[in-house]
Every structure is written in structure tokens, then in C-alpha cells.
């Protein structure tokens, strides 16, 4: 077993299972994806540490536990069409691609989107489509989605996103001020666009969601 495999196994035991991540599909997906290949070479030794890391353009790859928690909350079973907002380095995208049928992902910074696309192509993920743009509009042509995940913090829940959920679909989004947020899970209960159940999952700190229905740059 090489060094990174060992570090990845330890990450899963201590950071995920040790803290209550119980969906085996999620821990298996995180065991399958080589997280160190999503960060710069100089940071690969820290890829499995219990923290976020810089990925360039003042953005970060989320802490492994947060990736697991958000993914678990989506309750994916393998047949879903998922929208991700904030591709970043593409690590969360890969985890979603392991667990759902198709993943569409939007990133506002073109250089990050291109690098994520290259990494994901090199790992052989063919069920992912990445687009450069403002994800706060969602992806109207591809809606509705069984799951939507936003990996940047919003001032409030964009109605554009809840409006693109399928009935029974789930949106996970950090909501709060620019420095700290609450991770919120919204479930669409019926055809009525505002028939939504909202639950708070935990406190969190994400970079800002910048766009028309997010923060202004
Ligand atoms: N899941 C990513 C997290 C990256 S940080 C990872 O693990 O690498 C959040 C990302 O959201 C940043 O790359 C940022 O550029 C992007 N972002 C912020 N606002 C956005 C918007 N309106 N649309 C699309 N992407 C956005």
C-alpha cells in the first residue's frame, strides 16, 4: 500500500467514521478518490489532513469531513442527476460522480474549472459536465435536479435553486454572513415551489458565493 493510500485509510477511520459518517457508500467513495491529485504538488502531503487547503485564486478545497457530511445529507442512491455550484478543484465533483448517475457542475473562475476538468478527465470520470459561469442562476436547461450542492456560502437561499429541485430533491447550502455560515438542507416536498422543508445541519465556514443571487463581488 503506498503512502497516500495509507493516509486516505486513516482519514476515513479518524475523520469520517470516528465522527459519525455512517453511509458506507460515502466512505467507499472517499476511499476511491485520490484527494492528493486535486491539490498542487507542494500540498499533496497535506491532502489527507483534517482541514481545508488552498487551491489558487483565493479559493479552498473543503475539509474531508465537510465533503462527507454534505454528500451524506444528499442521500444519493446512484440514479440521480446532481447540480454542484462551485467546482473548485473538482474533488467534491468526483465524490458525487462516484455516487450519482450524472453530475453537472458550475464554477465562476475559468482557470479552476479548466484544471478541475483536466484532473477529472485524467481519472476517467465521464459522467461529469463542467461549465464556467454564475451558478446562482442554477442550470435551467438541465433542471430539475434530484440534488443540488453549493460549496460556497450564500447570504440567503437562492429561489432560483430551490425552484430547480425535483419533488423530493435536496439542496445543501451554507447560509450566513461572509465569515461564518450554517449548513442548511432544503427538501422540496411537492409541486408547489415553496413547499420546502428546511433543516440546519451544523456551523461551517465557506468562501463566498459570488453572483446575482449571492454576494456582490
Ligand atoms: N468543492 C470545491 C470548493 C471550492 S471553494 C472544492 O472542494 O474544491 C468554492 C468555489 O465556489 C470556488 O471555486 C469559487 O470560485 C466558486 N464560486 C463562488 N461563487 C460561485 C458562483 N456564483 N458560481 C459558481 N461558482 C462559484
Amino acid at each position: 500500500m503506498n503512502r497516500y493510500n495509507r493516509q486516505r485509510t486513516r482519514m476515513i477511520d479518524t475523520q469520517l467514521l470516528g465522527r459519525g459518517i455512517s453511509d458506507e457508500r460515502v466512505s467507499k467513495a472517499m476511499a476511491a478518490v485520490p484527494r492528493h491529485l486535486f491539490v498542487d504538488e507542494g500540498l499533496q502531503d497535506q491532502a489527507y489532513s483534517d482541514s481545508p487547503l488552498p487551491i489558487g485564486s483565493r479559493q479552498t478545497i473543503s475539509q474531508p469531513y465537510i465533503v462527507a457530511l454534505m454528500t451524506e445529507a444528499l442521500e444519493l442512491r446512484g440514479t440521480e442527476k446532481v447540480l454542484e455550484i462551485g467546482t473548485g478543484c473538482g474533488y467534491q465533483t468526483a465524490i458525487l460522480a462516484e455516487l450519482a448517475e450524472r453530475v453537472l457542475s458550475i464554477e465562476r473562475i475559468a482557470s479552476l474549472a479548466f484544471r478541475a476538468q483536466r484532473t477529472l478527465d485524467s481519472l476517467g470520470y465521464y459522467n461529469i459536465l463542467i461549465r464556467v459561469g454564475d451558478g446562482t442562476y442554477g442550470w435551467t436547461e438541465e433542471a430539475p435536479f434530484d440534488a443540488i450542492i453549493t460549496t460556497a456560502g450564500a447570504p440567503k437561499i437562492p429561489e432560483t435553486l430551490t425552484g430547480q429541485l425535483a419533488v423530493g430533491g435536496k439542496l445543501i447550502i451554507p447560509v450566513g454572513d461572509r465569515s461564518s455560515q450554517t449548513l442548511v438542507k432544503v427538501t422540496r416536498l411537492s409541486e408547489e415551489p415553496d413547499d420546502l422543508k428546511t433543516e440546519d445541519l451544523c456551523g461551517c465556514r465557506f468562501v463566498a458565493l459570488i453572483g446575482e443571487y449571492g454576494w456582490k463581488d
Side-chain angles (χ1 to χ4, degrees):
M1 210 196 259
N2 74 27
R3 182 163 50 122
Y4 292 123
N5 287 346
R6 256 196 323 272
Q7 291 181 8
R8 191 153 65 244
T9 304
R10 198 171 335 119
M11 168 193 90
I12 287 157
D13 288 344
T14 59
Q15 300 174 38
L16 308 190
L17 305 180
R19 289 192 197 138
I21 298 298
S22 60
D23 185 343
E24 226 176 72
R25 285 172 47 80
V26 174
S27 42
K28 278 201 180 131
M30 291 189 60
V33 178
R35 182 171 161 97
H36 60 283
L37 297 181
F38 289 83
V39 298
D40 280 348
E41 238 166 273
L43 289 173
Q44 289 192 343
D45 272 344
Q46 296 170 58
Y48 297 97
S49 63
D50 190 14
S51 62
L53 292 172
I55 55 170
S57 308
R58 290 182 295 134
Q59 308 302 320
T60 54
I61 175 173
S62 302
Q63 179 192 11
Y65 174 69
I66 286 287
V67 173
L69 188 78
M70 293 175 88
T71 308
E72 188 171 65
L74 292 175
E75 300 171 51
L76 300 172
R77 287 295 165 262
T79 55
E80 295 84 357
K81 184 178 186 182
V82 181
L83 174 65
E84 176 187 43
I85 294 148
T87 319
C89 68
Y91 175 69
Q92 171 81 71
T93 325
I95 300 293
L96 296 168
E98 292 278 338
L99 294 171
E101 188 167 295
R102 259 185 95 205
V103 183
L104 292 99
S105 187
I106 310 174
E107 169 56 55
R108 64 182 281 273
I109 301 175
S111 57
L112 290 178
F114 295 143
R115 202 170 63 197
Q117 183 79 68
R118 249 201 334 268
T119 309
L120 292 163
D121 284 348
S122 74
L123 290 170
Y125 287 100
Y126 299 117
N127 57 344
I128 295 172
L129 186 58
I130 298 177
R131 150 167 138 174
V132 177
D134 176 2
T136 67
Y137 290 103
W139 194 321
T140 349
E141 312 89 286
E142 292 282 354
F145 296 97
D146 305 301
I148 303 180
I149 180 170
T150 303
T151 63
K156 60 185 177 53
I157 300 170
E159 283 173 23
T160 39
L161 300 185
T162 52
Q164 291 181 27
L165 281 176
V167 174
K170 296 164 189 76
L171 162 70
I172 308 292
I173 182 167
V175 183
D177 59 37
R178 279 185 94 124
S179 58
S180 77
Q181 306 91 28
T182 302
L183 201 54
V184 177
K185 173 175 177 173
V186 184
T187 307
R188 180 161 184 180
L189 300 175
S190 73
E191 293 292 344
E192 284 300 315
D194 51 3
D195 191 6
L196 304 167
K197 178 169 106 182
T198 304
E199 301 159 81
D200 291 351
L201 301 183
C202 62
C204 58
R205 279 180 94 124
F206 278 82
V207 297
L209 180 74
I210 294 167
E212 183 62 28
Y213 301 101
W215 297 97
K216 302 295 170 233
D217 203 358

